[in-house]
Amino acid sequence: MPRGPSSAHSLQRATILNISADTFAEAGYPSATMAALAARCGVSKSLLYHYYPAKDAILFDLMHEYMTRLQLLVHEVARLELPAQAGLAELVRRFVREYETSRSRHIVLLNDVKFLPPPERAQVIALERSVVQAFADVIAVTYKIDGARAKVLTMSVFGMINWTFTWLKPDGPLSYAEFAESVVGMLESGLAGGAQRIGQLAVDAGKLAAAEII
């Protein structure tokens, strides 16, 4: 029976994808060479080619892996069988949490999918559409609207959360978790709801700090 990939191979592949995602996000996909990726990975260029035959194969692998992860988030929330509004809130929280830990991959997905060969690009775009559609289905149920209008609202939600990497800083005044709650508040109660949730988080944090002092 043929042997599957070793754990060492999987670890090496994960390292290559992580470093490549950071490199593509920082330098831009066109500027990143296989030689530069190999150097940052601490391996020879020939060894890098052993794992990936071309740079676009790395790009496809990290995009496909990332989109599959986002798709899995939707399926995980669906399995919880939450009420519609609670399910939408949980989706927002999980997506924002994923964006926080996958910042480089998210930048690459938004900026570099156009550099994939057409067949691979079609696969990634199909995954993107499936995630958007699943999100739209939840919104349609939550707000009792038809699919076309749900898709418009879905893209509005993604407009709020997809570009956080450009302005939401890890050491800033608002954490990713707090931002997720503000989005949930806006979805449920408009801007006033978002502001209220942020304010309540600050109050709760103050109470917790006071309790720890006592």
Side-chain angles (χ1 to χ4, degrees):
M1 179 181 293
R3 295 176 59 187
S6 68
S7 58
H9 184 281
S10 298
L11 177 62
Q12 186 68 46
R13 174 182 167 278
T15 299
I16 292 170
L17 291 181
N18 288 335
I19 291 174
S20 296
D22 290 341
T23 304
F24 295 158
E26 293 165 9
Y29 175 78
S31 299
T33 64
M34 289 291 276
L37 293 176
R40 291 191 65 167
C41 290
V43 300
S44 66
K45 191 163 69 169
S46 61
L47 181 57
L48 183 59
Y49 276 113
H50 170 73
Y51 287 100
Y52 288 101
K55 188 174 68 167
D56 58 24
I58 299 175
L59 181 66
F60 172 70
D61 209 2
L62 71 87
M63 284 189 176
H64 189 275
E65 180 187 76
Y66 181 52
M67 284 310 308
T68 301
R69 193 181 309 169
L70 294 181
Q71 191 177 55
L72 180 61
L73 291 181
V74 178
H75 294 328
E76 287 175 347
V77 173
R79 285 196 294 269
L80 296 175
E81 298 183 348
L82 297 170
Q85 186 167 288
L88 177 56
E90 186 62 20
L91 269 180
V92 169
R93 293 184 183 108
R94 294 195 183 204
F95 267 63
V96 171
R97 188 185 311 144
E98 181 64 35
Y99 290 170
E100 179 179 14
T101 57
S102 301
R103 182 177 181 275
S104 293
R105 279 173 166 75
H106 193 65
I107 292 172
V108 172
L109 178 68
L110 292 176
N111 293 337
D112 298 330
V113 68
K114 60 182 176 288
F115 296 114
L116 286 174
E120 286 77 12
R121 183 166 66 244
Q123 289 186 55
V124 172
I125 290 174
L127 280 170
E128 286 183 299
R129 288 174 176 166
S130 72
V131 170
V132 170
Q133 186 58 58
F135 219 107
D137 291 342
V138 174
I139 286 181
V141 172
T142 302
Y143 296 102
K144 298 179 175 59
I145 55 176
D146 62 79
R149 289 175 174 78
K151 185 68 69 66
V152 171
L153 292 183
T154 298
M155 299 314 295
S156 298
V157 174
F158 279 122
M160 284 192 284
I161 66 177
N162 268 2
W163 301 93
T164 50
F165 68 87
T166 65
W167 62 270
L168 187 57
K169 307 302 180 185
D171 56 350
L174 197 68
S175 69
Y176 273 77
E178 290 169 332
F179 170 69
E181 291 305 316
S182 74
V183 173
V184 170
M186 283 186 278
L187 291 175
E188 295 177 358
S189 309
L191 284 176
Q196 183 179 7
R197 278 181 178 258
I198 293 175
Q200 187 58 51
L201 286 168
V203 171
D204 292 344
K207 290 179 179 178
L208 179 61
E212 290 175 348
I213 293 173
I214 294 172

